[in-house]
Amino acid sequence: MRFVATGDWQLGMTAHYLSAEARPRFHRARLDAVKRIGEIAAEQSCEFVVVCGDVFESNQLDRAIISRTFEVLAAFTVPVVLLPGNHDPLDAASIYDSPAFTSRQPDYVHVLRDSEPFEVIPGVEIVGAPWFSKRPQCDLVDQATQNLAEVAPGCVRIVAGHGAVSTLDPDRESMATIDTDNLKAVVKEGRAQFVALGDRHATYSVDETIWYPGAPEVTSRREDDPGNVLLVDVDPQTHASTVEKVHIGRWSYLVVEEDVNSDEDVTRLEQRLTDIPNKDSTAVWLVLRGTLPTAAKARLDEVLDHAADLFALVSLWERHTDIAVVAADEDFAGLGLSGYLQETLDELAESAAGEDPTAAAAQDALGLLYRFARSGS
């Protein structure tokens, strides 16, 4: 018995850090990822797809997002089981109760609204732990599984949950943390054969039978293995399971680090950016360190301006970036500066060399003065 485990689609995700030009491509990529999940389910002879929470970015979305979701799901040939998570809980404003959702929901799309075992296909049950608010006051997965009996011979039971397990959650005081030991006991005692979890956006194995599939498209530069779904096989007779990770993501989030202390270093960074493929679906955060002459810094700015036209995002990661600018005599030699411009250059050079808060502004002004003088030479 094979199925697709996925989660954290977060359809309608804002991606506020992207430009207005790139954001629609990002939205479309998330729907395209859902489409690929349906294609994989058909190609790999899967019995169903289970989505472990955060199907939608929030409960307050334009109805067009829901309509486009069902337009994509219309091509699925297997049942699709949705678990509400912390982004789209079953609260009073639940998106799953909105007319835009209920009026278009087909029979093969099922929302896990409680923890009663749901028979998705004959002989296979899914036990869900849906969220009813953004701040649960207990371990929802433990609550959903504590009274489960042993799985009947020849049958399969899967647990679908959402949230951070205790071995990963840095907030040990959170009442919603999923107790890892309790979860392992559920499988060990034969009360379920597999556990699929959402909330962590990178693929991660808690145990051989407990997995986070991760988000099908990247959502953060801190994710170490995003863009995947899981193909899970469970033997109804032996209860053994196997997991195959399938990468479907098209977007990339990269952190590029470089020391830049010369024009040659700027050229190396330029080449590194040039070599990155699929620029229109790649966001880059730059971590740059070093000291550059004014001319080299001006060229660096030009390189980054050009890259910004090509990539979905090029951004300096300010907290980790430290570039100093010095006014080298050769940068301004031959430009014929005199009078006010020369006096301004001398004052900026002195300020830029200091360590007070005005140094950074003086360095930026040096670059502007350099480009102004060069354009008129």
Side-chain angles (χ1 to χ4, degrees):
M1 193 283 300
R2 173 178 289 179
F3 69 97
V4 176
T6 178
D8 300 279
W9 290 358
Q10 290 188 216
L11 300 173
M13 185 177 179
T14 307
H16 57 84
Y17 46 84
L18 295 177
S19 68
E21 183 270 335
R23 211 169 293 144
R25 297 201 306 275
F26 183 81
H27 289 316
R28 186 67 244 175
R30 307 195 79 75
L31 288 168
D32 289 344
V34 175
K35 179 182 178 182
R36 288 194 293 279
I37 291 170
E39 293 168 348
I40 289 170
E43 294 165 1
Q44 298 296 325
S45 301
C46 296
E47 302 283 356
F48 58 90
V49 173
V50 59
V51 190
C52 300
D54 291 355
V55 180
F56 298 100
E57 172 67 4
S58 77
N59 279 333
Q60 289 76 44
L61 292 178
D62 189 287
R63 69 181 185 187
I65 301 289
I66 303 173
S67 296
R68 289 171 188 148
T69 300
F70 283 130
E71 182 72 15
V72 173
L73 290 177
F76 279 51
T77 58
V78 297
V80 183
V81 181
L82 309 179
L83 177 76
N86 61 295
H87 278 262
D88 51 4
L90 288 171
D91 58 18
S94 175
I95 196 169
Y96 300 106
D97 293 325
S98 68
F101 188 93
T102 58
S103 66
R104 295 181 179 274
Q105 181 182 357
D107 292 340
Y108 60 87
V109 175
H110 184 84
V111 179
L112 296 174
R113 294 179 174 272
D114 53 41
S115 296
E116 288 297 314
F118 167 65
E119 189 175 52
V120 59
I121 59 172
V124 179
E125 293 179 343
I126 300 178
V127 174
W131 286 49
F132 296 95
S133 72
K134 288 185 174 293
R135 294 176 179 82
Q137 300 302 303
C138 66
D139 176 350
L140 295 173
V141 177
D142 179 58
Q143 186 179 68
T145 58
Q146 58 187 215
N147 295 322
L148 288 178
E150 188 174 349
V151 181
C155 296
V156 172
R157 182 181 292 146
I158 296 152
V159 174
H162 190 85
V165 294
S166 55
T167 49
L168 289 175
D169 191 353
D171 183 5
R172 296 301 178 88
E173 303 302 316
S174 171
M175 290 183 285
T177 299
I178 300 169
D179 189 298
T180 307
D181 291 336
N182 288 348
L183 204 50
K184 290 180 179 179
V186 170
V187 179
K188 185 177 181 181
E189 295 166 5
R191 292 185 282 144
Q193 288 102 329
F194 192 84
V195 180
L197 299 172
D199 188 57
R200 181 181 173 90
H201 291 189
T203 303
Y204 181 79
S205 173
V206 179
D207 196 53
E208 289 183 359
T209 55
I210 305 171
W211 282 76
Y212 286 93
E217 279 290 359
V218 64
T219 61
S220 168
R221 64 189 173 214
R222 294 180 176 85
E223 295 163 7
D224 54 7
D225 189 19
N228 305 309
V229 299
L230 300 178
L231 289 179
V232 184
D233 286 280
V234 181
D235 189 322
Q237 305 305 320
T238 66
H239 290 184
S241 61
T242 59
V243 178
E244 178 186 351
K245 180 176 67 175
V246 180
H247 186 78
I248 67 169
R250 301 283 173 83
W251 275 63
S252 299
Y253 283 12
L254 305 177
V255 176
V256 174
E257 298 190 41
E258 282 286 355
D259 291 327
V260 285
N261 293 290
S262 66
D263 194 62
E264 289 75 17
D265 291 342
V266 174
T267 298
R268 185 177 66 252
L269 172 62
E270 181 181 27
Q271 187 59 52
R272 187 173 175 183
L273 294 173
T274 299
D275 292 342
I276 295 173
N278 305 318
K279 293 178 176 59
D280 65 346
S281 56
T282 301
V284 176
W285 284 266
L286 295 168
V287 176
L288 304 179
R289 296 171 293 263
T291 301
L292 286 172
T294 307
K297 177 58 166 61
R299 181 160 173 265
L300 173 63
D301 292 341
E302 292 172 355
V303 168
L304 299 186
D305 285 345
H306 177 65
D309 292 336
L310 302 176
F311 285 86
L313 173 74
V314 175
S315 176
L316 284 175
W317 196 345
E318 297 289 352
R319 187 158 58 91
H320 300 288
T321 293
D322 184 14
I323 300 178
V325 181
V326 294
D329 292 339
E330 60 270 20
D331 289 343
F332 293 90
L335 293 179
L337 297 184
S338 61
Y340 174 74
L341 285 178
Q342 185 61 51
E343 290 175 8
T344 301
L345 171 62
D346 294 340
E347 291 174 3
L348 288 174
E350 183 178 352
S351 297
E355 297 183 358
D356 58 69
T358 64
Q363 292 170 5
D364 291 340
L366 270 176
L368 290 172
L369 178 60
Y370 174 79
R371 287 194 291 273
F372 171 77
R374 188 178 63 173
S375 66
S377 62

